[in-house]
Amino acid sequence: MEKNEIENLKNLKKLAAGYLKSTDPIGSKTKDLVTTIKLQSYFELSCVITDLLRLCILSLEEEEHKTAIDRKSGINVIIILEMVLQLFPREEFEFLSELNQLVFTDHDTIKE
């Protein structure tokens, strides 16, 4: 490589290091990446997942109204998503959130 190309590559790596921070490699032997979503509690995570499922349901209902589909063929995704929403353990996530706060709270500040 020419000197100019090497300098450009170094500058590009410095620039990328400052901006490309939303994913990290899982390990050195894999090309998989991991990303972090910052949440305040397990309960907030459950709310986000629930809202995503509701968004999917609403989107599919809207699409269903636009096109007439033969109900005997294919999978009814709306029913499946509604069932997943009902099965989602929201109370357990709220419990985990409270448990997490209890476990990681400074015990000296807890009044008995």
Side-chain angles (χ1 to χ4, degrees), residues 47-63:
C47 290
V48 169
I49 293 170
T50 303
D51 286 345
L52 287 169
L53 288 170
R54 285 187 179 131
L55 176 64
C56 290
I57 291 167
L58 290 173
S59 175
L60 288 168
E61 284 176 343
E62 180 67 26
E63 189 64 31

Side-chain angles (χ1 to χ4, degrees), residues 10 21 39 44 47 53 55 59 78 99-101 109:
K10 286 180 183 178
K21 298 178 181 180
L39 299 167
E44 184 180 4
C47 290
L53 288 170
L55 176 64
S59 175
I78 294 172
L99 182 65
N100 185 54
Q101 185 177 10
T109 61

Side-chain angles (χ1 to χ4, degrees), residues 6-23:
I6 293 171
E7 277 302 310
N8 287 341
L9 186 57
K10 286 180 183 178
N11 289 335
L12 182 61
K13 285 183 179 182
K14 286 180 187 176
L15 187 64
Y19 287 98
L20 301 177
K21 298 178 181 180
S22 63
T23 59

